[in-house]
Every structure is written in structure tokens, then in C-alpha cells.
Amino acid sequence: MHCPVVVSTMEMLKGILPAEGEVFLVTADEQTAGRGQRGTSWESETGKNLTFSFLFRPFRVKASELFFLSEIVCLAVAATLDAHVEGISVKWPNDVYRHDRKICGMLLEHTLSGSDISTTLVGIGINVNQPSFRSDAPNPVSIRQITGHDTDLSALLSDFVGHFENLYALWCKGGRADIAQTYWQRLYRRQGFHDYEDVRTQERFQAEIAAVAPNGRLTLRLPQGEERTFAFKEVCFL
């Protein structure tokens, strides 16, 4: 489904219960209240970017495994962008970067049924044809700013769907280790020491990424060897 203007593509899909194997997808030219991580808004010039949400029922995914779904979506976006620009990586937990600038953000929400995930709702915004950004977001970049020309939004969406279907099929066939390894290889700042801030204490420190656990927790290793583990929203990349 395509809508010229909506409040939020994610809000449109909330409350729907898809059958197993059924996917609901909504795209929009403009979202008047699109959301990002930490409750931030998403700046997108009307008709210039790929903003969409989709809702589906994961196949036998435990609540303890939900981070694998984030990995699949991130890797599908990264593979889609590889055909247009170089230097694509995944910033933990689920942003997509081109070098040190954010080219895609996403939000995943899950409903549970006992210990299983009942439905997963994914909202994605890819900066595609926007020539400039005026908000206070620190580091956005679009495909057009990199390449100097526009990219077909429908073709980009079709490419994403294909990559997502392939990765999801790999998951269903037991390829979880392959997905986790590919996510690790794609990780932004995977090598070297970088600056971070503990959101809980405001302490700033240098560390290298040591591991990403199946539950999504990030382990950072300080220069002296001490390791610290963080859940979502507990640490900032500086």
C-alpha cells in the first residue's frame, strides 16, 4: 500500500494481526510524525526518500532471539545500499552508516505471545534523493549527496524486499550463525578504540567493540582490558 501523506507508516499498521507468512507493507511520500530511535523525529523531504513500514509474523522466533530480526533488517538495508554507494556499515544496534554518516535509521517493535514473538513491526527511513538536511541531526547523508544523481525509490524498495526475503529464508533454514557473523563483519567501529559515553553515569571512555551477544547486548573492552556490557540506549557513540 502507498499513501502520499500519513502521520506514521508504523502507526497505520499497529493493531493488525497478519496470518503466518503474510506481510503488510506501507510506503509514504511524507510522514508528519515519523519516529526514530530514542523518540527522535525523522527529517524527510516529501517524495525524496524511502520511508516505509512492514508488519509480519516471525516463524518460531523466541523473545530471547529477537535481536536476530534486527540483524536481518540491517543487513538487508546494507546489501541494498551496496549497489549504489561504497563504505556501508551497520552501527549497533540498528542504524546503517556510510563511513561516519547516517544513511538509514529504523525502529523495530515486537508483540509477544508467551515466550514467542507474535508480530514484528519494522519502520525504515533511507535517505535517498534529499539534497540537503536542515534539522539538528548531527550526521545525515543521502545517496544523492554521495552520487550526485537521483535513485529510483520503487526499485530500491524492491531490492530491499529481495534481500530481506533471502536473509529471512536463511534464518528459517537454521543459518543464524551466518547471519550473526555477517552482522559482526559489517559492524561500524568494529576495529580500533573509539570514544563512548555511558548514558547512565555520563562517563566518557575509550573502548573497542569486543562482542555483540545474541540478545543484542554490546560488550566494549577498555584499553586496560576491562569489559563492560550495555543494553540498548545505555551507551552512546561519540
Side-chain angles (χ1 to χ4, degrees):
M1 178 190 302
H2 176 76
C3 300
V5 181
V6 296
V7 173
S8 163
T9 54
M10 291 189 77
E11 292 299 324
M12 284 190 65
L13 293 175
K14 283 187 175 179
I16 297 175
L17 182 61
E20 190 168 302
E22 188 175 27
V23 178
F24 291 89
L25 187 148
V26 176
T27 63
D29 294 327
E30 180 182 358
Q31 296 185 97
T32 58
R35 291 185 295 133
Q37 291 285 350
R38 304 175 189 270
T40 58
S41 61
W42 181 267
E43 179 192 349
S44 181
E45 189 176 332
T46 302
K48 294 294 186 180
N49 300 314
L50 184 56
T51 54
F52 65 101
S53 296
F54 63 99
L55 176 72
F56 69 104
R57 180 178 290 185
F59 178 71
R60 297 178 183 174
V61 180
K62 299 293 184 183
S64 59
E65 302 171 323
L66 61 82
F67 188 68
F68 279 109
L69 296 173
S70 292
E71 291 179 328
I72 289 170
V73 177
C74 285
L75 292 176
V77 171
T80 300
L81 292 172
D82 281 341
H84 302 273
V85 295
E86 47 75 38
I88 296 296
S89 61
V90 175
K91 177 176 173 284
W92 178 89
N94 53 14
D95 284 331
V96 179
Y97 268 43
R98 194 265 181 168
H99 298 326
D100 288 318
R101 302 180 69 183
K102 183 175 177 178
I103 196 167
C104 172
M106 64 187 71
L107 190 63
L108 286 84
E109 296 181 355
H110 310 277
T111 59
L112 303 180
S113 177
S115 61
D116 295 329
I117 297 176
S118 175
T119 61
T120 293
L121 176 59
V122 183
I124 297 177
I126 303 176
N127 297 329
V128 184
N129 296 324
Q130 188 156 331
S132 62
F133 296 87
R134 297 180 298 277
S135 74
D136 58 358
N139 59 350
V141 68
S142 68
I143 296 176
R144 188 183 190 282
Q145 288 178 319
I146 301 165
T147 65
H149 59 77
D150 283 353
T151 298
D152 184 272
L153 299 181
S154 296
L156 200 68
L157 177 61
S158 179
D159 288 347
F160 167 80
V161 170
H163 287 299
F164 176 81
E165 288 178 342
N166 290 338
L167 286 162
Y168 186 68
L170 177 61
W171 156 273
C172 293
K173 293 176 182 176
R176 301 175 185 183
D178 291 335
I179 291 169
Q181 179 62 22
T182 304
Y183 180 88
W184 171 256
Q185 292 171 344
R186 280 277 195 176
L187 208 55
Y188 174 71
R189 290 188 177 179
R190 182 170 62 88
Q191 297 178 326
F193 286 85
H194 300 275
D195 295 324
Y196 299 90
E197 180 179 304
D198 188 323
V199 174
R200 300 161 297 184
T201 64
Q202 286 74 57
E203 177 193 2
R204 295 191 172 192
F205 59 94
Q206 279 204 328
E208 63 179 353
I209 296 177
V212 178
N215 63 6
R217 288 180 176 266
L218 177 72
T219 297
L220 298 176
R221 183 183 298 116
L222 278 63
Q224 64 270 31
E226 175 192 352
E227 292 189 351
R228 301 179 184 179
T229 298
F230 299 90
F232 305 142
K233 302 183 181 181
E234 290 183 350
V235 65
C236 284
F237 289 57
L238 300 178

mmCIF file of all heavy atoms in Angstrom, residues 201-231:
data_model
loop_
_atom_site.group_PDB
_atom_site.id
_atom_site.type_symbol
_atom_site.label_atom_id
_atom_site.label_comp_id
_atom_site.label_asym_id
_atom_site.label_seq_id
_atom_site.Cartn_x
_atom_site.Cartn_y
_atom_site.Cartn_z
ATOM 1 N N THR A 201 25.758 7.061 33.626
ATOM 2 C CA THR A 201 26.657 7.794 34.524
ATOM 3 C C THR A 201 27.281 9.023 33.878
ATOM 4 O O THR A 201 27.947 9.805 34.557
ATOM 5 C CB THR A 201 27.798 6.871 34.987
ATOM 6 O OG1 THR A 201 28.595 6.505 33.842
ATOM 7 C CG2 THR A 201 27.247 5.615 35.648
ATOM 8 N N GLN A 202 27.087 9.189 32.548
ATOM 9 C CA GLN A 202 27.703 10.260 31.765
ATOM 10 C C GLN A 202 29.235 10.144 31.702
ATOM 11 O O GLN A 202 29.929 11.089 31.319
ATOM 12 C CB GLN A 202 27.333 11.657 32.296
ATOM 13 C CG GLN A 202 25.906 12.086 31.982
ATOM 14 C CD GLN A 202 24.883 11.363 32.825
ATOM 15 O OE1 GLN A 202 24.947 11.416 34.052
ATOM 16 N NE2 GLN A 202 23.941 10.688 32.195
ATOM 17 N N GLU A 203 29.763 8.988 32.082
ATOM 18 C CA GLU A 203 31.211 8.779 31.976
ATOM 19 C C GLU A 203 31.601 8.594 30.517
ATOM 20 O O GLU A 203 30.972 7.835 29.784
ATOM 21 C CB GLU A 203 31.632 7.539 32.762
ATOM 22 C CG GLU A 203 33.125 7.231 32.627
ATOM 23 C CD GLU A 203 33.501 5.849 33.125
ATOM 24 O OE1 GLU A 203 32.594 5.105 33.555
ATOM 25 O OE2 GLU A 203 34.699 5.511 33.066
ATOM 26 N N ARG A 204 32.654 9.283 30.102
ATOM 27 C CA ARG A 204 33.189 9.118 28.755
ATOM 28 C C ARG A 204 34.459 8.282 28.821
ATOM 29 O O ARG A 204 35.273 8.448 29.740
ATOM 30 C CB ARG A 204 33.467 10.475 28.113
ATOM 31 C CG ARG A 204 32.192 11.289 27.882
ATOM 32 C CD ARG A 204 32.426 12.499 27.015
ATOM 33 N NE ARG A 204 31.173 13.155 26.659
ATOM 34 C CZ ARG A 204 31.056 14.091 25.729
ATOM 35 N NH1 ARG A 204 32.132 14.488 25.046
ATOM 36 N NH2 ARG A 204 29.882 14.633 25.463
ATOM 37 N N PHE A 205 34.622 7.397 27.845
ATOM 38 C CA PHE A 205 35.763 6.495 27.873
ATOM 39 C C PHE A 205 36.070 6.010 26.464
ATOM 40 O O PHE A 205 35.251 6.134 25.553
ATOM 41 C CB PHE A 205 35.469 5.295 28.785
ATOM 42 C CG PHE A 205 34.259 4.493 28.379
ATOM 43 C CD1 PHE A 205 34.383 3.367 27.570
ATOM 44 C CD2 PHE A 205 32.982 4.862 28.792
ATOM 45 C CE1 PHE A 205 33.278 2.626 27.190
ATOM 46 C CE2 PHE A 205 31.866 4.126 28.416
ATOM 47 C CZ PHE A 205 32.016 3.009 27.614
ATOM 48 N N GLN A 206 37.258 5.459 26.297
ATOM 49 C CA GLN A 206 37.645 4.845 25.034
ATOM 50 C C GLN A 206 37.555 3.331 25.165
ATOM 51 O O GLN A 206 37.873 2.764 26.216
ATOM 52 C CB GLN A 206 39.069 5.240 24.642
ATOM 53 C CG GLN A 206 39.179 6.604 23.994
ATOM 54 C CD GLN A 206 40.422 6.705 23.118
ATOM 55 O OE1 GLN A 206 41.439 6.091 23.389
ATOM 56 N NE2 GLN A 206 40.326 7.493 22.057
ATOM 57 N N ALA A 207 37.122 2.692 24.080
ATOM 58 C CA ALA A 207 36.995 1.236 24.107
ATOM 59 C C ALA A 207 36.937 0.707 22.682
ATOM 60 O O ALA A 207 36.723 1.458 21.727
ATOM 61 C CB ALA A 207 35.744 0.823 24.877
ATOM 62 N N GLU A 208 37.135 -0.600 22.568
ATOM 63 C CA GLU A 208 36.931 -1.292 21.302
ATOM 64 C C GLU A 208 35.764 -2.252 21.465
ATOM 65 O O GLU A 208 35.463 -2.704 22.579
ATOM 66 C CB GLU A 208 38.186 -2.056 20.881
ATOM 67 C CG GLU A 208 38.597 -3.159 21.842
ATOM 68 C CD GLU A 208 39.832 -3.912 21.385
ATOM 69 O OE1 GLU A 208 40.298 -3.666 20.260
ATOM 70 O OE2 GLU A 208 40.331 -4.761 22.167
ATOM 71 N N ILE A 209 35.087 -2.561 20.369
ATOM 72 C CA ILE A 209 33.966 -3.492 20.427
ATOM 73 C C ILE A 209 34.509 -4.906 20.569
ATOM 74 O O ILE A 209 35.313 -5.364 19.754
ATOM 75 C CB ILE A 209 33.080 -3.369 19.184
ATOM 76 C CG1 ILE A 209 32.451 -1.970 19.130
ATOM 77 C CG2 ILE A 209 31.995 -4.443 19.180
ATOM 78 C CD1 ILE A 209 31.608 -1.718 17.892
ATOM 79 N N ALA A 210 34.062 -5.595 21.623
ATOM 80 C CA ALA A 210 34.526 -6.954 21.887
ATOM 81 C C ALA A 210 33.550 -8.004 21.382
ATOM 82 O O ALA A 210 33.962 -9.058 20.897
ATOM 83 C CB ALA A 210 34.762 -7.151 23.387
ATOM 84 N N ALA A 211 32.238 -7.729 21.496
ATOM 85 C CA ALA A 211 31.251 -8.736 21.096
ATOM 86 C C ALA A 211 29.865 -8.118 21.044
ATOM 87 O O ALA A 211 29.594 -7.096 21.686
ATOM 88 C CB ALA A 211 31.257 -9.910 22.080
ATOM 89 N N VAL A 212 28.996 -8.756 20.268
ATOM 90 C CA VAL A 212 27.562 -8.479 20.289
ATOM 91 C C VAL A 212 26.876 -9.801 20.589
ATOM 92 O O VAL A 212 27.010 -10.769 19.837
ATOM 93 C CB VAL A 212 27.056 -7.904 18.955
ATOM 94 C CG1 VAL A 212 25.546 -7.679 19.020
ATOM 95 C CG2 VAL A 212 27.766 -6.601 18.618
ATOM 96 N N ALA A 213 26.158 -9.864 21.699
ATOM 97 C CA ALA A 213 25.527 -11.108 22.134
ATOM 98 C C ALA A 213 24.257 -11.384 21.330
ATOM 99 O O ALA A 213 23.682 -10.475 20.720
ATOM 100 C CB ALA A 213 25.194 -11.027 23.623
ATOM 101 N N PRO A 214 23.786 -12.634 21.323
ATOM 102 C CA PRO A 214 22.535 -12.962 20.623
ATOM 103 C C PRO A 214 21.340 -12.141 21.097
ATOM 104 O O PRO A 214 20.401 -11.914 20.328
ATOM 105 C CB PRO A 214 22.349 -14.451 20.929
ATOM 106 C CG PRO A 214 23.733 -14.963 21.136
ATOM 107 C CD PRO A 214 24.457 -13.851 21.831
ATOM 108 N N ASN A 215 21.371 -11.682 22.356
ATOM 109 C CA ASN A 215 20.272 -10.845 22.852
ATOM 110 C C ASN A 215 20.468 -9.371 22.506
ATOM 111 O O ASN A 215 19.678 -8.518 22.909
ATOM 112 C CB ASN A 215 20.100 -11.018 24.362
ATOM 113 C CG ASN A 215 21.317 -10.567 25.159
ATOM 114 O OD1 ASN A 215 22.275 -10.014 24.612
ATOM 115 N ND2 ASN A 215 21.293 -10.808 26.460
ATOM 116 N N GLY A 216 21.546 -9.056 21.768
ATOM 117 C CA GLY A 216 21.781 -7.698 21.310
ATOM 118 C C GLY A 216 22.667 -6.861 22.201
ATOM 119 O O GLY A 216 23.032 -5.738 21.838
ATOM 120 N N ARG A 217 23.048 -7.359 23.362
ATOM 121 C CA ARG A 217 23.891 -6.562 24.261
ATOM 122 C C ARG A 217 25.289 -6.389 23.669
ATOM 123 O O ARG A 217 25.864 -7.318 23.100
ATOM 124 C CB ARG A 217 23.972 -7.209 25.644
ATOM 125 C CG ARG A 217 22.670 -7.079 26.432
ATOM 126 C CD ARG A 217 22.768 -7.737 27.799
ATOM 127 N NE ARG A 217 21.555 -7.518 28.574
ATOM 128 C CZ ARG A 217 21.387 -6.528 29.435
ATOM 129 N NH1 ARG A 217 22.368 -5.663 29.636
ATOM 130 N NH2 ARG A 217 20.260 -6.393 30.101
ATOM 131 N N LEU A 218 25.814 -5.173 23.833
ATOM 132 C CA LEU A 218 27.116 -4.801 23.278
ATOM 133 C C LEU A 218 28.167 -4.838 24.373
ATOM 134 O O LEU A 218 27.997 -4.216 25.427
ATOM 135 C CB LEU A 218 27.036 -3.394 22.685
ATOM 136 C CG LEU A 218 28.329 -2.804 22.115
ATOM 137 C CD1 LEU A 218 28.694 -3.498 20.805
ATOM 138 C CD2 LEU A 218 28.174 -1.298 21.899
ATOM 139 N N THR A 219 29.257 -5.558 24.131
ATOM 140 C CA THR A 219 30.371 -5.593 25.074
ATOM 141 C C THR A 219 31.523 -4.772 24.521
ATOM 142 O O THR A 219 31.974 -4.998 23.391
ATOM 143 C CB THR A 219 30.843 -7.035 25.337
ATOM 144 O OG1 THR A 219 29.779 -7.778 25.938
ATOM 145 C CG2 THR A 219 32.041 -7.048 26.281
ATOM 146 N N LEU A 220 31.978 -3.800 25.322
ATOM 147 C CA LEU A 220 33.103 -2.945 24.965
ATOM 148 C C LEU A 220 34.290 -3.276 25.862
ATOM 149 O O LEU A 220 34.129 -3.531 27.056
ATOM 150 C CB LEU A 220 32.727 -1.472 25.131
ATOM 151 C CG LEU A 220 31.578 -0.964 24.252
ATOM 152 C CD1 LEU A 220 31.250 0.483 24.595
ATOM 153 C CD2 LEU A 220 31.932 -1.091 22.777
ATOM 154 N N ARG A 221 35.485 -3.263 25.274
ATOM 155 C CA ARG A 221 36.708 -3.565 26.016
ATOM 156 C C ARG A 221 37.572 -2.307 26.116
ATOM 157 O O ARG A 221 37.940 -1.708 25.101
ATOM 158 C CB ARG A 221 37.493 -4.683 25.333
ATOM 159 C CG ARG A 221 38.756 -5.103 26.096
ATOM 160 C CD ARG A 221 39.541 -6.162 25.340
ATOM 161 N NE ARG A 221 38.763 -7.386 25.160
ATOM 162 C CZ ARG A 221 38.388 -7.858 23.968
ATOM 163 N NH1 ARG A 221 38.704 -7.201 22.854
ATOM 164 N NH2 ARG A 221 37.697 -8.972 23.885
ATOM 165 N N LEU A 222 37.890 -1.897 27.339
ATOM 166 C CA LEU A 222 38.717 -0.728 27.577
ATOM 167 C C LEU A 222 40.188 -1.054 27.325
ATOM 168 O O LEU A 222 40.571 -2.233 27.307
ATOM 169 C CB LEU A 222 38.518 -0.216 29.000
ATOM 170 C CG LEU A 222 37.277 0.671 29.238
ATOM 171 C CD1 LEU A 222 35.983 -0.076 28.989
ATOM 172 C CD2 LEU A 222 37.296 1.264 30.639
ATOM 173 N N PRO A 223 41.050 -0.037 27.146
ATOM 174 C CA PRO A 223 42.463 -0.301 26.847
ATOM 175 C C PRO A 223 43.155 -1.181 27.875
ATOM 176 O O PRO A 223 44.046 -1.966 27.530
ATOM 177 C CB PRO A 223 43.077 1.105 26.812
ATOM 178 C CG PRO A 223 41.950 1.992 26.407
ATOM 179 C CD PRO A 223 40.733 1.408 27.064
ATOM 180 N N GLN A 224 42.759 -1.096 29.146
ATOM 181 C CA GLN A 224 43.398 -1.901 30.186
ATOM 182 C C GLN A 224 42.831 -3.311 30.277
ATOM 183 O O GLN A 224 43.259 -4.109 31.112
ATOM 184 C CB GLN A 224 43.289 -1.207 31.548
ATOM 185 C CG GLN A 224 41.871 -1.035 32.070
ATOM 186 C CD GLN A 224 41.220 0.259 31.637
ATOM 187 O OE1 GLN A 224 41.526 0.771 30.557
ATOM 188 N NE2 GLN A 224 40.336 0.796 32.466
ATOM 189 N N GLY A 225 41.859 -3.634 29.403
ATOM 190 C CA GLY A 225 41.325 -4.989 29.354
ATOM 191 C C GLY A 225 39.973 -5.174 30.014
ATOM 192 O O GLY A 225 39.330 -6.216 29.835
ATOM 193 N N GLU A 226 39.521 -4.197 30.784
ATOM 194 C CA GLU A 226 38.209 -4.301 31.430
ATOM 195 C C GLU A 226 37.107 -4.326 30.368
ATOM 196 O O GLU A 226 37.159 -3.574 29.390
ATOM 197 C CB GLU A 226 37.983 -3.102 32.356
ATOM 198 C CG GLU A 226 36.595 -3.067 32.988
ATOM 199 C CD GLU A 226 36.297 -1.740 33.668
ATOM 200 O OE1 GLU A 226 37.225 -0.905 33.785
ATOM 201 O OE2 GLU A 226 35.131 -1.537 34.068
ATOM 202 N N GLU A 227 36.116 -5.186 30.567
ATOM 203 C CA GLU A 227 34.994 -5.271 29.636
ATOM 204 C C GLU A 227 33.712 -4.794 30.309
ATOM 205 O O GLU A 227 33.454 -5.106 31.471
ATOM 206 C CB GLU A 227 34.819 -6.704 29.128
ATOM 207 C CG GLU A 227 35.959 -7.160 28.227
ATOM 208 C CD GLU A 227 35.688 -8.490 27.550
ATOM 209 O OE1 GLU A 227 34.685 -9.151 27.912
ATOM 210 O OE2 GLU A 227 36.475 -8.873 26.660
ATOM 211 N N ARG A 228 32.926 -4.038 29.554
ATOM 212 C CA ARG A 228 31.641 -3.535 30.040
ATOM 213 C C ARG A 228 30.570 -3.888 29.019
ATOM 214 O O ARG A 228 30.782 -3.719 27.816
ATOM 215 C CB ARG A 228 31.686 -2.020 30.244
ATOM 216 C CG ARG A 228 32.744 -1.545 31.228
ATOM 217 C CD ARG A 228 32.726 -0.033 31.359
ATOM 218 N NE ARG A 228 33.786 0.453 32.232
ATOM 219 C CZ ARG A 228 34.003 1.740 32.499
ATOM 220 N NH1 ARG A 228 33.212 2.670 31.956
ATOM 221 N NH2 ARG A 228 34.985 2.101 33.296
ATOM 222 N N THR A 229 29.419 -4.325 29.509
ATOM 223 C CA THR A 229 28.331 -4.746 28.631
ATOM 224 C C THR A 229 27.145 -3.803 28.780
ATOM 225 O O THR A 229 26.778 -3.425 29.895
ATOM 226 C CB THR A 229 27.911 -6.190 28.953
ATOM 227 O OG1 THR A 229 29.034 -7.054 28.721
ATOM 228 C CG2 THR A 229 26.765 -6.636 28.051
ATOM 229 N N PHE A 230 26.557 -3.438 27.634
ATOM 230 C CA PHE A 230 25.488 -2.446 27.615
ATOM 231 C C PHE A 230 24.278 -2.972 26.851
ATOM 232 O O PHE A 230 24.413 -3.631 25.819
ATOM 233 C CB PHE A 230 25.968 -1.156 26.938
ATOM 234 C CG PHE A 230 27.122 -0.493 27.629
ATOM 235 C CD1 PHE A 230 28.430 -0.823 27.292
ATOM 236 C CD2 PHE A 230 26.906 0.449 28.621
ATOM 237 C CE1 PHE A 230 29.506 -0.212 27.925
ATOM 238 C CE2 PHE A 230 27.970 1.066 29.263
ATOM 239 C CZ PHE A 230 29.272 0.730 28.917
ATOM 240 N N ALA A 231 23.101 -2.643 27.367
ATOM 241 C CA ALA A 231 21.858 -2.887 26.644
ATOM 242 C C ALA A 231 21.560 -1.672 25.766
ATOM 243 O O ALA A 231 22.273 -0.662 25.794
ATOM 244 C CB ALA A 231 20.717 -3.139 27.624
#
